[in-house]
Amino acid sequence: MMSLAARSGAFSPYMQATAVAVAGPLKALVPGVVVKGEKILLDPKKQFLCRESLSGQSPKTGPAVTVSINGCAGVRFAHTDVRVPDFTDYRRPEVQDPGKSSQESSESRRTFSYLVTGASTVVGVYAAKTVVSQFVSSMSASADVLALSQIEVKLSDIPEGKNMTFKWRGKPLFVRHRTEKEIAAEAEVNVAELRDPQHDKDRVLNPKWIIVLGVCTHLGCVPIANAGDYGGYYCPCHGSHYDASGRIRKGPAPLNLEVPYYEFADDDNVIVG
């Protein structure tokens, strides 16, 4: 409810009480007469405050105040026309009955909440998995790069005792067709005397063919094939000598030449990568 104190005047036609008019806290200029009764009768077609006096609209049988036109009056307005919002459409049927305890339907409502939460979680996880998969796939190698990830070498083009160099993933690739003498010599090497101990049979799939990366393990130079003190590979930059199995035998290089992954497609073709 709201109380309003005003002086009767030019605004009196726009002010109309919807409840009982009572004496306000302001002191009236003339004494008022209070009439008590059980019922309040108001004429809604007649303005409560007028230029004559308040007595024209005051209830005949009820609390009322009669003052002069220049007197102060307090009028209390009861906002009985305010509509309370109806949320019935948004409430579950189980809790709409005011005489029924909501605890009786808590289990069913909790089950529904768990179901909605679980379904939302599954959808969220699937969406996150899709986003991550798309992000990771966008960072993977392109089709042209993948096409260069493997190289197929025709072995019949390499004569016995010779080495051929190919470009694979931006690096030189040495493919050597070894003789029977080289195979026997590399198999008899004492592994305990090597800087990077590795037996020849652990570096080849077919003893006739040795496939290594042509990158010196010292500073990344490109060695020369069929050269050096051991008849394998020689790096002229810093004097590293490798044997016919690509193992370091002399010089500053700490490791053997790297053997990439390869497999023989048939007796005449090998796929590297």
Side-chain angles (χ1 to χ4, degrees):
M1 301 184 66
M2 179 181 68
S3 297
L4 175 65
R7 180 182 297 273
S8 302
F11 295 101
S12 60
Y14 304 100
M15 301 173 61
Q16 181 175 354
T18 58
V20 181
V22 298
L26 301 179
K27 184 178 180 182
L29 298 180
V30 296
V33 179
V34 178
V35 181
K36 296 183 179 180
E38 296 180 356
K39 296 182 179 181
I40 301 175
L41 300 177
L42 297 177
D43 186 2
K45 296 182 180 180
K46 189 174 182 181
Q47 297 179 356
F48 186 83
L49 298 178
C50 58
R51 292 186 178 274
E52 292 82 10
S53 68
L54 298 178
S55 60
Q57 178 64 11
S58 297
K60 302 302 181 181
T61 57
V65 177
T66 302
V67 296
S68 65
I69 190 172
N70 294 324
C72 296
V75 181
R76 178 171 295 176
F77 293 89
H79 298 281
T80 56
D81 58 341
V82 177
R83 299 183 59 184
V84 179
D86 186 9
F87 298 99
T88 304
D89 295 339
Y90 304 96
R91 299 175 62 191
R92 296 179 179 177
E94 297 85 353
V95 296
Q96 292 184 7
D97 188 1
K100 186 178 180 181
S101 175
S102 61
Q103 297 297 329
E104 299 178 1
S105 59
S106 61
E107 293 296 333
S108 61
R109 290 185 286 111
R110 189 179 297 112
T111 303
F112 177 77
S113 299
Y114 290 160
L115 180 62
V116 173
T117 303
S120 302
T121 303
V122 171
V123 174
V125 170
Y126 180 78
K129 176 255 182 186
T130 303
V131 172
V132 172
S133 300
Q134 293 292 334
F135 178 74
V136 172
S137 62
S138 65
M139 296 172 47
S140 60
S142 58
D144 56 343
V145 175
L146 293 176
L148 298 175
S149 63
Q150 290 185 340
I151 183 175
E152 184 174 355
V153 178
K154 190 175 182 180
L155 300 177
S156 60
D157 295 339
I158 306 175
E160 187 177 6
K162 298 297 181 179
N163 181 91
M164 290 190 67
T165 305
F166 301 89
K167 185 178 180 181
W168 177 68
R169 296 183 180 180
K171 300 177 182 179
L173 179 70
F174 293 162
V175 180
R176 185 187 186 98
H177 189 179
R178 299 192 299 184
T179 62
E180 294 295 335
K181 182 179 178 180
E182 291 175 337
I183 295 174
E186 301 305 329
E188 294 176 357
V189 174
N190 186 6
V191 180
E193 299 177 355
L194 300 177
R195 181 178 303 172
D196 186 10
Q198 196 173 18
H199 200 278
D200 180 67
K201 65 180 181 180
D202 297 331
R203 295 177 57 81
V204 295
L205 297 179
N206 186 340
K208 292 183 179 181
W209 303 96
I210 177 68
I211 302 176
V212 294
L213 292 181
V215 179
C216 180
T217 58
H218 180 217
L219 293 177
C221 304
V222 179
I224 301 174
N226 297 325
D229 296 346
Y230 298 90
Y233 306 94
Y234 171 66
C235 181
C237 299
H238 303 93
S240 296
H241 298 259
Y242 301 88
D243 58 18
S245 185
R247 297 173 294 188
I248 182 64
R249 303 295 293 273
K250 182 181 178 181
L255 301 173
N256 303 329
L257 294 179
E258 181 183 353
V259 178
Y261 172 80
Y262 65 92
E263 59 183 1
F264 290 94
D266 49 47
D267 295 337
D268 193 36
N269 294 278
V270 61
I271 300 176
V272 181

